[in-house]
Amino acid sequence: MANLKEIRSRIATVSSTMQITSAMKMVSAAKLKKAQDAITQMRPYADKLTELLQSLSASLDADAGGKFSDNREVQKILVVAITSNRGLCGAFNSNIIKQCVSLLHGMYEDKQVDFMAIGKKGNDILGKKFNVIANHSEVYDTLTFDSVTLIAEELMEHFTSGSYDRVELVYNKFKNAATQIVMTEQFLPIVPAEEDETSVTDYIFEPSKEEIVEELIPKSLKTQLYKAVRDSFASEHGARMTAMHKATDNATELRDQLKLTYNKARQAAITNEILEIVGGAEALNN
């Protein structure tokens, strides 16, 4: 009977876990809808603005106002790791950490690489072995364009002051609830647009190109970072919803197996009791 009691306890534990994971799945699904709408609405605007200003900045040198496209010899790199503040979202955070470490030991092996964390998980893991100059996990408390703008201005200051020669963003790009794509995106200097001889667009600029660079490129960079954080935010809820869905399915399967085991054990115990009663009655008759 002690074995039956143990199985009943395990069934209750698994059932409780299943209720928690199911509730977390529904919460993430509700948050995902809002986050998905936000990133899908702003992505076309951000991509087109980046494309236009890349082309514009490439036509100017640093003295003409293109200070954000100044390609210096790369010796010091700042990698911005965009993760989440909470776990229970599958490989969402670990994929970002792996990509950051891959950059450190790969293309930037002989360079000075520092990290900036946006998200508590990235700061906790990277901070154990590497130099994390700042952590902006508070941005998720009120995820707005204004809150991300402060981080973008900090990154631009690091680049223009010469503290770092390149700034890279590492984040999860949202594709759908079940799929997130790890992206490594150069934030600074601005990547020049690839020349396409088959399609040349002639823009008329008003005011001058230099004034547009001075005013709009910082706004474009802020939008680019905001898009990356929004992408990561939507990916987090998608990853957590998928992880909790799988956890609920696994808990359901385990609970059913335990119930089957419990019923078999109970049936065996009842059968043994019947055999003992019948055996005792036969002994009395003899």
Side-chain angles (χ1 to χ4, degrees):
M1 295 302 293
N3 188 36
L4 291 176
K5 183 178 180 181
E6 180 183 346
I7 296 175
R8 282 199 302 268
S9 177
R10 291 188 62 190
I11 291 174
T13 301
V14 172
S15 298
S16 177
T17 302
M18 186 177 66
Q19 291 177 349
I20 295 172
T21 57
S22 179
M24 292 182 66
K25 171 191 169 183
M26 290 186 289
V27 170
S28 292
K31 292 183 178 180
L32 172 63
K33 181 63 171 66
K34 184 178 180 180
Q36 182 178 352
D37 290 342
I39 186 59
T40 52
Q41 288 172 7
M42 76 164 296
R43 189 179 285 165
Y45 166 77
D47 291 344
K48 189 62 181 177
L49 180 61
T50 300
E51 176 189 337
L52 173 62
L53 294 184
Q54 279 178 346
S55 176
L56 176 58
S57 182
S59 66
L60 300 172
D61 56 29
D63 295 333
K67 59 183 179 180
F68 297 114
S69 58
D70 182 17
N71 281 290
R72 305 185 288 263
E73 182 182 357
V74 178
Q75 293 296 332
K76 296 177 290 185
I77 302 97
L78 179 61
V79 178
V80 182
I82 304 176
T83 59
S84 66
N85 284 345
R86 299 187 296 126
L88 296 177
C89 46
F92 174 83
N93 291 312
S94 61
N95 286 339
I96 298 298
I97 302 302
K98 288 178 182 177
Q99 181 63 17
C100 289
V101 175
S102 177
L103 287 174
L104 180 65
H105 297 304
M107 62 186 297
Y108 299 134
E109 186 174 7
D110 299 326
K111 313 294 183 183
Q112 175 189 332
V113 179
D114 294 332
F115 294 94
M116 176 186 287
I118 299 179
K120 185 176 182 296
K121 291 297 180 180
N123 179 66
D124 291 346
I125 299 174
L126 291 172
K128 294 178 180 179
K129 295 183 178 180
F130 310 111
N131 182 33
V132 179
I133 65 169
N135 174 32
H136 293 287
S137 58
E138 74 284 350
V139 73
Y140 292 115
D141 296 338
T142 53
L143 183 52
T144 62
F145 182 79
D146 290 337
S147 62
V148 176
T149 290
L150 299 176
I151 305 174
E153 290 174 348
E154 182 180 344
L155 293 174
M156 287 186 279
E157 175 61 26
H158 281 310
F159 179 76
T160 55
S161 65
S163 299
Y164 295 98
D165 304 312
R166 179 172 294 176
V167 179
E168 299 270 12
L169 304 180
V170 180
Y171 65 97
N172 281 290
K173 181 179 180 180
F174 178 80
K175 183 177 181 181
N176 53 53
T179 306
Q180 299 82 38
I181 304 171
V182 178
M183 299 291 294
T184 301
E185 191 173 279
Q186 184 171 313
F187 186 68
L188 287 167
I190 294 174
V191 180
E194 297 182 0
E195 295 183 2
D196 188 355
E197 297 180 357
T198 60
S199 58
V200 178
T201 304
D202 186 16
Y203 293 105
I204 298 175
F205 297 102
E206 179 65 33
S208 66
K209 290 183 179 181
E210 288 78 9
E211 291 179 79
I212 293 176
V213 167
E214 288 293 333
E215 292 295 329
L216 288 189
I217 281 188
K219 294 181 181 179
S220 174
L221 291 171
K222 295 171 185 177
T223 302
Q224 181 183 354
L225 181 61
Y226 183 59
K227 177 178 73 71
V229 176
R230 270 292 179 188
D231 252 319
S232 179
F233 188 64
S235 297
E236 175 193 349
H237 291 302
R240 182 171 291 109
M241 187 186 75
T242 302
M244 292 301 99
H245 175 73
K246 292 180 179 179
T248 302
D249 288 346
N250 291 337
T252 302
E253 182 180 352
L254 179 58
R255 184 194 61 179
D256 293 342
Q257 291 176 353
L258 288 171
K259 284 185 175 180
L260 181 61
T261 302
Y262 174 80
N263 290 334
K264 287 182 178 180
R266 184 168 176 270
Q267 184 177 14
I270 293 173
T271 302
N272 288 334
E273 290 179 2
I274 293 175
L275 290 176
E276 290 175 359
I277 293 172
V278 172
E282 289 293 333
L284 291 174
N285 290 335
N286 294 332

